[in-house]
Amino acid sequence: MKIGAPKEIMPGEARVAMTPASAKELQKLGHECMIEAGAGMRAGFTDTAYSEAGVEVVDSADSLWSAAEVVAKVRPPTDEEAAKLREGQLLISFFWPAQNEALMEKAKDAGASVIAMDMVPRISRAQKMDALSSMANIAGYRAVIEAGNNFGRFFTGQVTAAGKVPPATVLIVGAGVAGLAAIGTSTSLGAITYAFDVRPEVAEQIESMGAEFVFLDFDESSQDGSATGGYAAPSSPEFQEKQLEKFRELAPDIDIVITTALIPGRPAPKLWTKDMVEMMKPGSVVIDLAAERGGNCELTVMDEKIVSENGVTIVGYTDFPSRMSTQSSTLYATNIRHMMTDLTPDKDGVINQNMEDDVIRGATVVHAREITFPPPPPKVKAIAAAPKKDKPKELTPEEKRAQEVAAFKAQTRSQVTLLAVGGALLLLLGLYAPASFMQHFIVFVLAIFVGFQVIWGVAHSLHTPLMAVTNGISSIIIVGALMQIGSGSWLVVLLAALSVFMAGINIFGGFLVTRRMLAMFQKS
């Protein structure tokens, strides 16, 4: 079948739904590829590159729409483009069916089928087609770059001859795909990064990326992410109030705020209020990735960059993926190609729109002159439910004290028992062993005891098998050498002193090196 990609006509849209690389893969499925002349220019793909990849370059959009049996787009079709749909034609694009009922009716009346890339179910098998995640990943990365472009300082801290530069402090609200991409970019640039999300199960993901999760002191049990397809669920008014209270506490110390919070089918929640902006330092930046749905910041103006009265820059751009058109076109075209792979199971160029398939059914919004939106829930959960964790019982001060006393008594009993048994064994041995043997044996036993006490008192983070063994041996050497320092021979005294010196270097040097290595993994 002929697959065509027209030029996007929405102002400012630089992406394209087909790249030379994706066209080659589509041809391996048995399809022919077409593209409108100049469609890929703004994304860095020339008509010559398409021709070399075996793609037919057509002069006009009308020619492409009339010849293509499958039309791949980025943005939803305009009314003018929807009028070009015909019987049996398949349109694959972002469609936003919940907001475009009239557009679905036009496609139904024309007899065309529509696959909405924004409706791909979020199940494991469909990740390769998840265009929302692909674009959100780019938006999160680009948001940090845009923040750096509008921020007057470095992200990372520096100590230079001209003075000390403090690191930027970044708060990312929402830890979905865009939020996690922003966290990764921010931490890699050296900023002190904080992140907040209403889903506590993402705290480990945030901390594993080097950011600090902002916890709320609130007892409300949140809905598990698996029940909402991985998205955040609406919060109670009490939770929202506690959340805003926490943000007001953080606002004076934050240099850059990136908000990504959206709930499907709802306006963006207002999380960064006017008074929070007023608390921020002059020169601070707010990047609102939810601007298209009203914005998470009260002062956001869609598609504009404004500066508040106190000098805070608020960016409400809605075209972050388009600002990285080469990368976003490559990822989106790959998502389209994977969708076509599922639609062409036999790789014979014949499309089989199997409505029993969870992914195809979930993404199809119009088919066979019927509106199939909303789809039934997928048979497979979006993500596995997070296991319930039992909270450890909080002990009262009296219970803690009783535990400490019991532990001290048990430790004392074990040590006294060991000393008593050891002393009795030494006395028993002394009755039969010669005096010269006992002198050296007692030195040996004391050295072992001291070495054990040295190792036992070390912090657990400094323990390694190698450190434990070498320090134990070094402790034995030191005790033995100290016993020989009083010898009458100057050679024995010299050797004993050298033994103490070198064994001491081994013990203390080992601790210093290990602590230094651990410090490399700690955030100062």
Side-chain angles (χ1 to χ4, degrees), residues 248-261:
R248 288 188 180 96
E249 179 186 325
L250 294 172
D253 301 320
I254 299 297
D255 298 311
I256 295 169
V257 177
I258 298 174
T259 62
T260 71

Side-chain angles (χ1 to χ4, degrees), residues 57-126:
V57 180
V58 297
D59 295 331
S60 66
D62 289 337
S63 301
L64 186 138
W65 281 88
S66 60
E69 294 161 288
V70 179
V71 176
K73 277 180 51 60
V74 179
R75 294 280 185 169
T78 62
D79 290 338
E80 180 186 348
E81 289 174 321
K84 297 174 184 176
L85 289 169
R86 66 176 190 275
E87 181 78 34
Q89 196 171 39
L90 173 62
L91 171 68
I92 304 177
S93 73
F94 283 115
F95 202 83
W96 313 113
Q99 291 83 40
N100 286 314
E101 292 183 17
L103 204 54
M104 284 193 292
E105 289 289 346
K106 287 183 179 180
K108 183 189 79 169
D109 294 341
S113 295
V114 177
I115 289 180
M117 293 302 289
D118 50 284
M119 289 299 298
V120 172
R122 287 193 160 177
I123 59 178
S124 298
R125 187 169 63 83

Side-chain angles (χ1 to χ4, degrees), residues 136-145 155 170-195 202 204-212 258 260 289 523:
N137 180 28
I138 293 172
Y141 173 86
R142 179 69 191 195
V144 178
I145 303 303
F155 269 70
V170 179
L171 172 65
I172 295 164
V173 181
V177 176
L180 291 173
I183 291 168
T185 309
S186 175
T187 54
S188 66
L189 290 174
I192 297 173
T193 307
Y194 299 92
V202 303
E204 290 183 6
Q205 298 177 43
I206 289 169
E207 290 169 352
S208 70
M209 298 180 74
E212 183 177 334
I258 298 174
T260 71
L289 291 181
K523 196 168 186 179

Side-chain angles (χ1 to χ4, degrees), residues 150-433:
N150 289 278
F151 186 56
R153 296 204 327 262
F154 291 137
F155 269 70
T156 185
Q158 292 187 5
V159 178
T160 70
K164 184 178 179 181
V165 179
T169 305
V170 179
L171 172 65
I172 295 164
V173 181
V177 176
L180 291 173
I183 291 168
T185 309
S186 175
T187 54
S188 66
L189 290 174
I192 297 173
T193 307
Y194 299 92
F196 173 82
D197 198 283
V198 296
R199 299 164 296 171
E201 63 262 27
V202 303
E204 290 183 6
Q205 298 177 43
I206 289 169
E207 290 169 352
S208 70
M209 298 180 74
E212 183 177 334
F213 187 71
V214 177
F215 285 96
L216 290 186
D217 185 14
F218 194 74
D219 293 331
E220 179 183 279
S221 58
S222 64
Q223 185 174 4
D224 194 280
S226 61
T228 55
Y231 292 101
S235 305
S236 68
E238 295 79 13
F239 184 90
Q240 292 173 17
E241 187 57 41
K242 198 73 178 178
Q243 177 178 300
L244 296 179
E245 182 183 323
K246 185 67 176 181
F247 290 163
R248 288 188 180 96
E249 179 186 325
L250 294 172
D253 301 320
I254 299 297
D255 298 311
I256 295 169
V257 177
I258 298 174
T259 62
T260 71
L262 275 176
I263 299 170
R266 293 171 177 264
K270 299 299 179 187
L271 302 176
W272 206 257
T273 57
K274 181 181 178 182
D275 63 304
M276 295 177 197
V277 175
E278 292 170 350
M279 293 177 188
M280 297 177 74
K281 300 183 288 287
S284 300
V285 179
V286 177
I287 306 290
D288 195 341
L289 291 181
E292 198 164 3
R293 302 299 298 276
N296 295 135
C297 178
E298 276 188 343
L299 301 182
T300 298
V301 178
M302 182 175 165
D303 289 322
E304 290 187 21
K305 179 174 73 174
I306 65 170
V307 179
S308 68
E309 294 179 359
N310 61 319
V312 177
T313 302
I314 302 167
V315 178
Y317 299 151
T318 59
D319 59 346
F320 285 106
S322 191
R323 288 169 182 262
M324 299 185 70
S325 55
T326 303
Q327 185 65 74
S328 54
S329 296
T330 300
L331 293 181
Y332 182 70
T334 302
N335 295 141
I336 294 282
R337 190 256 295 176
H338 283 303
M339 177 62 75
M340 290 303 301
T341 301
D342 274 26
L343 288 168
T344 320
D346 297 327
K347 299 184 180 181
D348 55 357
V350 178
I351 287 181
N352 176 21
Q353 197 162 345
N354 179 14
M355 298 298 278
E356 296 300 317
D357 184 289
D358 269 350
V359 178
I360 295 172
R361 175 64 187 90
T364 301
V365 296
V366 179
H367 183 61
R369 290 192 176 273
E370 287 185 12
I371 292 176
T372 58
F373 174 82
K379 303 179 187 73
V380 182
K381 277 193 174 183
I383 57 174
K388 298 290 183 182
K389 296 181 180 178
D390 295 329
K391 289 186 177 179
K393 181 186 175 184
E394 289 289 335
L395 300 176
T396 62
E398 292 78 13
E399 289 174 331
K400 288 180 181 178
R401 176 63 182 166
Q403 274 192 356
E404 290 172 0
V405 170
F408 176 77
K409 287 180 178 179
Q411 186 178 8
T412 303
R413 280 196 300 270
S414 65
Q415 288 187 352
V416 169
T417 303
L418 284 173
L419 288 172
V421 171
L425 290 174
L426 281 175
L427 286 172
L428 183 62
L429 186 62
L431 293 174
Y432 302 99

